[in-house]
Amino acid sequence: MRRIVVLFNLNRHQFEYETEFDSELTINSICSALSQKYEVKKIEADKEFKWIDELNQYHPDLVFNVCEGYNGPARESVYAAILEQFKYNYSGPDSTNLLMCHNKFLVKNLLKNYIDCPKGYSICEEKDIELLKSIEFPVIVKLNSEGSSMGMDEKSIVNSYGELKKQVLFLLQRYERNVLVEEYIEGQDLSMIYVEGLGALGPCIVNCDAKFYDYEMKTIKDETVDIQTTAGGYEVLKNIVLTIVDKLDIKGYAKIDFRKKDDKYYLIEVNSQVSFHPTGEFITCAKTDGYSFDDIINHIVEHALASSNKKNSIGYKVIYDDRRENN
């Protein structure tokens, strides 16, 4: 029987950085789905990296990697990069995908010639704010390399330069990392997923009593959010997802968030590391296309096991037509 390690960070609700970590429910659900076909071992990726010795002692056939990391813009990619150093095969996006997609500003600039993206600006230090005195409002202010809407609340949507400066300074000082200032798109929140071997699935629709799906709703008020399957269709949106996947050369899977306004789908974020919570967006999108939780988890593992090693992404595909258009 093949051996699978589920490698994870556990959310104990003790620190803000645990927001992206998985719950016991999610980890146990993944293990339950896989234990029908495989020998499964849970390994928590602790902050001291003692997990590496435990992994090497067990030496699995595949690592189901759902680690998020503790700090910094490269936190998601650390675990994939370590697995590559030890030549372990693993599921999901590779280290290049995880590093690139965690940078919202970079991803949208790479894709803006192919799909609709909100206009945005990257702020690295306080003096950069002065360059935004003439921008159009409203805009939304968020951390450039974070998930789960960390650092975002009702003050994140700003309507004046004074509000903008105050919110950007707050994020720069509290989190000490780059800030993204972006055109605010008012509309319907939708998510799609991509699963290698199955294609684009979904969408699911996120309904919440707020202008956007903020940090509080993703943590302590998640019961106020309604994530629904749809009636299917959405071929235009599925084609947009496949364009994104092709351009970014995404491996394994991804969750991609959009806002729909006036029949246009604006890219909000490409999540290369995802949550497999049984009632979350990724699994709900899969259910829209008729796949159960167990179906998706086992497909991901079977697809990864079909190759003896992880295929690496190039990060961004430039094809002949791109070069010709830019000359």
Side-chain angles (χ1 to χ4, degrees):
M1 183 178 287
R2 286 183 161 183
R3 295 188 290 182
I4 311 295
V5 158
V6 178
L7 187 66
F8 63 94
N9 301 122
L10 184 63
N11 187 349
R12 293 181 170 83
H13 306 283
Q14 295 176 338
F15 305 100
E16 187 178 25
Y17 63 71
E18 294 181 345
T19 302
E20 292 263 87
F21 294 2
D22 284 300
S23 66
E24 285 191 82
L25 171 64
T26 300
I27 299 305
N28 290 337
S29 298
I30 293 170
C31 292
S32 177
L34 294 176
S35 63
Q36 301 169 39
K37 297 182 179 180
Y38 309 102
E39 178 182 311
V40 181
K41 181 178 179 63
K42 294 190 290 185
I43 297 181
E44 182 176 357
D46 61 289
K47 205 170 185 178
E48 293 76 27
F49 288 82
K50 295 175 183 176
W51 60 269
I52 297 175
D53 288 337
E54 189 175 359
L55 182 71
N56 285 334
Q57 288 170 13
Y58 188 68
H59 203 80
D61 296 289
L62 184 78
V63 178
F64 195 97
N65 172 38
V66 290
C67 292
E68 296 283 354
Y70 290 85
N71 185 54
R75 61 176 172 79
E76 289 184 344
S77 62
V78 167
Y79 303 90
I82 290 173
L83 293 173
E84 289 163 8
Q85 301 313 299
F86 286 96
K87 296 185 178 180
Y88 283 114
N89 191 10
Y90 63 94
S91 64
D94 78 339
S95 56
T96 301
N97 293 150
L98 292 164
L99 180 63
M100 287 188 60
C101 292
H102 213 220
N103 187 326
K104 301 180 182 72
F105 182 74
L106 173 63
V107 164
K108 289 173 187 175
N109 273 275
L110 291 173
L111 295 173
K112 65 184 180 182
N113 291 331
Y114 307 99
I115 62 173
D116 291 307
C117 297
K119 188 175 182 179
Y121 309 86
S122 179
I123 305 297
C124 301
E125 50 189 329
E126 184 175 344
K127 66 181 180 64
D128 295 339
I129 306 173
E130 299 296 319
L131 303 174
L132 301 183
K133 284 186 174 179
S134 61
I135 66 169
E136 294 184 12
F137 293 95
V139 295
I140 190 164
V141 182
K142 62 181 82 171
L143 294 170
N144 185 47
S145 295
E146 272 305 340
S148 296
S149 299
M150 188 182 294
M152 297 179 70
D153 57 22
E154 70 278 358
K155 299 185 188 72
S156 299
I157 300 174
V158 302
N159 293 282
S160 69
Y161 179 74
E163 291 177 5
L164 171 65
K165 187 172 184 178
K166 183 177 180 181
Q167 189 63 19
V168 171
L169 284 174
F170 165 73
L171 293 179
L172 285 174
Q173 292 166 5
R174 176 167 178 172
Y175 294 98
E176 299 180 327
R177 62 194 71 175
N178 294 354
V179 173
L180 176 62
V181 175
E182 192 170 72
E183 171 191 6
Y184 174 66
I185 306 295
E186 188 165 2
Q188 174 69 62
D189 286 310
L190 303 100
S191 292
M192 290 284 295
I193 65 171
Y194 167 75
V195 180
E196 197 168 18
L198 297 178
L201 307 178
C204 70
I205 295 176
V206 180
N207 293 315
C208 59
D209 187 23
K211 288 191 173 182
F212 67 94
Y213 192 12
D214 65 15
Y215 173 76
E216 193 173 57
M217 289 186 174
K218 291 182 178 180
T219 53
I220 61 175
K221 289 187 176 179
D222 56 344
E223 75 281 354
T224 67
V225 179
D226 184 24
I227 302 173
Q228 299 178 338
T229 57
T230 62
Y234 292 89
E235 292 307 313
V236 169
L237 187 54
K238 289 187 176 184
N239 286 333
I240 293 171
V241 168
L242 294 178
T243 297
I244 293 170
V245 168
D246 180 62
K247 282 293 173 187
L248 300 182
D249 195 23
I250 289 176
K251 307 299 183 186
Y253 49 71
K255 179 175 76 75
I256 306 173
D257 300 329
F258 297 92
R259 272 214 158 187
K260 183 181 181 184
K261 180 183 179 182
D262 300 330
D263 295 322
K264 286 187 176 181
Y265 297 102
Y266 290 86
L267 175 65
I268 301 301
E269 187 172 351
V270 179
N271 303 272
S272 52
Q273 189 59 290
V274 307
S275 168
F276 289 101
H277 191 285
T279 61
E281 293 154 89
F282 193 93
I283 297 301
T284 303
C285 281
K287 288 179 179 177
T288 292
D289 278 279
Y291 295 98
S292 69
F293 180 93
D294 286 11
D295 291 338
I296 287 297
I297 298 300
N298 279 286
H299 169 83
I300 288 169
V301 166
E302 288 165 10
H303 192 81
L305 282 170
S307 175
S308 59
N309 61 297
K310 185 68 179 176
K311 293 182 179 179
N312 291 112
S313 168
I314 196 170
Y316 180 68
K317 288 184 179 177
V318 179
I319 58 174
Y320 174 75
D321 288 341
D322 293 340
R323 294 196 295 268
R324 184 174 61 189
E325 289 171 6
N326 293 324
N327 286 336

